[in-house]
Amino acid sequence: MAALTRLMKPTSTIITRRSLSTTTAAVSDIQSSLSDGKGGSSRNNFQWVFLGVPGVGKGTYASRLSSLLGVPHIATGDLVRNELASKGPLSNQLAEIVNQGKLVSDEIIFNLLSKRLEAGEAKGESGFILDGFPRTIRQAEILNEVTEIDLVVNLKLREDVLVEKCLGRRICSECGKGFNVASINAKAENGRPGMSMAPLLPPSHCASKLVTRADDTEEVVKERLRIYQEKSQPVEGFYRDLGKLMEFDLPGGIPESWPKLLEALNLDEYEVKRSAVA
Ligand code: AMP
């Protein structure tokens, strides 16, 4: 538990407490910290969490916001995959769990996360956008004890589209970037509008290096969705009760969703970039 204790260390610059009581306050606070001339250091103190079922696009939007806001995007799934690839002592145990779509123990996750936060802190990072964490009520409660999360964005998408999206997911084995080869055209039904998503194709230098995640098979994706409903959906309620949850229904692919997400977050891409260079 030493690593967890390190994560809980209250003096860490990563653990910057900000006091916000409602989602609306959180969103307007983001806007004012960008525009009130507080400068670079305060601008980078966002402590956000992205929630949502597997395949919804947490990684895509968290990574875009991370570049825009200048805070690290930390995906616990990436930390687990890096650990697997390192062939370290935990690899075999982890491979079995991950390939079945099950959750890794809280202790391992806290250990990996605390190491990642410490490494970032040593490089001068501050703030974060967490993706894939917390995934259980216990993880959310511990995180809540050690730091204040400013905002939790809950991404939502129709389930039929989700499975298709997961099956089309590919990763470049060299640079680690994610792409999607699925061309989705879901029909309108039961009062829901139709939805189209163009594939997110890789540049030519990644095209020959694409791999599919071992846990992106239909069977495992369905198990991951089941586990999400059982273990992770209660986390949405946890943050809703704290007044920090911002629900966001993805209207389609990146071209439709990205501007709408920025709007919901009260962010103006041009203004954010301008304040970053000022
Ligand atoms: P992801 O890329 O977020 O879908 O994560 C891939 C896999 O890593 C998951 O299916 C879990 O086995 C494991 N994992 C990632 N984050 C967590 C977490 N917060 N708690 C437990 N297991 C996790």
Side-chain angles (χ1 to χ4, degrees):
M1 299 294 272
L4 180 55
T5 316
R6 286 202 300 279
L7 182 67
M8 296 175 78
K9 201 171 54 180
T11 50
S12 165
T13 54
I14 291 199
I15 300 170
T16 308
R17 288 200 161 261
R18 305 168 89 211
S19 131
L20 293 164
S21 53
T22 65
T23 312
T24 322
V27 172
S28 60
D29 187 73
I30 294 156
Q31 186 63 28
S32 59
S33 70
L34 286 165
S35 57
D36 67 2
K38 282 187 213 156
S41 60
S42 66
R43 205 181 66 84
N44 290 349
N45 274 343
F46 303 106
Q47 297 198 157
W48 290 6
V49 164
F50 266 66
L51 296 182
V53 289
V56 73
K58 297 185 292 295
T60 303
Y61 296 102
S63 128
R64 285 183 159 230
L65 282 167
S66 139
S67 311
L68 187 63
L69 300 172
V71 290
H73 163 214
I74 302 180
T76 45
D78 288 344
L79 303 181
V80 169
R81 281 182 288 280
N82 291 344
E83 186 65 29
L84 272 172
S86 75
K87 304 269 180 242
L90 289 177
S91 308
N92 287 344
Q93 190 193 339
L94 285 179
E96 200 172 322
I97 300 168
V98 173
N99 294 345
Q100 288 175 13
K102 308 260 186 276
L103 293 186
V104 170
S105 75
D106 289 341
E107 190 167 14
I108 293 179
I109 289 293
F110 276 114
N111 192 341
L112 294 174
L113 184 58
S114 98
K115 276 203 263 177
R116 169 61 187 84
L117 289 172
E118 282 192 346
E121 193 183 359
K123 288 192 289 183
E125 280 179 2
S126 65
F128 49 68
I129 301 180
L130 293 178
D131 154 9
F133 180 92
R135 239 168 162 115
T136 62
I137 287 284
R138 182 164 175 259
Q139 291 179 6
E141 284 170 349
I142 294 176
L143 185 65
N144 196 45
E145 274 167 31
V146 299
T147 193
E148 178 120 18
I149 295 299
D150 306 321
L151 180 69
V152 179
V153 180
N154 187 26
L155 295 183
K156 296 199 291 199
L157 190 64
R158 310 170 36 161
E159 189 162 319
D160 52 341
V161 171
L162 273 170
V163 176
E164 226 179 312
K165 248 186 108 209
C166 280
L167 299 182
R169 225 155 40 166
R170 301 289 181 272
I171 297 177
C172 172
S173 56
E174 200 163 280
C175 71
K177 280 212 179 103
F179 303 98
N180 206 301
V181 297
S183 178
I184 294 172
N185 277 303
K187 292 197 193 93
E189 57 180 26
N190 304 331
R192 289 188 306 192
M195 184 177 278
S196 306
M197 282 191 202
L200 179 60
L201 296 173
S204 54
H205 55 272
C206 296
S208 61
K209 298 165 196 133
L210 296 188
V211 292
T212 305
R213 279 170 49 168
D215 57 347
D216 272 344
T217 63
E218 188 160 358
E219 194 193 347
V220 180
V221 166
K222 289 196 168 148
E223 175 65 359
R224 287 163 61 209
L225 290 174
R226 190 192 67 72
I227 290 186
Y228 185 88
Q229 310 302 346
E230 184 189 318
K231 307 253 166 111
S232 308
Q233 201 150 27
V235 176
E236 296 175 10
F238 178 90
Y239 285 115
R240 191 174 295 114
D241 291 348
L242 291 178
K244 299 197 171 183
L245 194 74
M246 188 191 96
E247 308 271 13
F248 186 78
D249 278 296
L250 289 159
I254 299 171
E256 303 84 32
S257 303
W258 176 238
K260 289 248 160 39
L261 179 62
L262 291 181
E263 200 182 308
L265 289 168
N266 223 353
L267 290 173
D268 179 317
E269 195 164 13
Y270 171 73
E271 281 300 321
V272 177
K273 284 186 181 151
R274 215 169 53 126
S275 79
V277 289

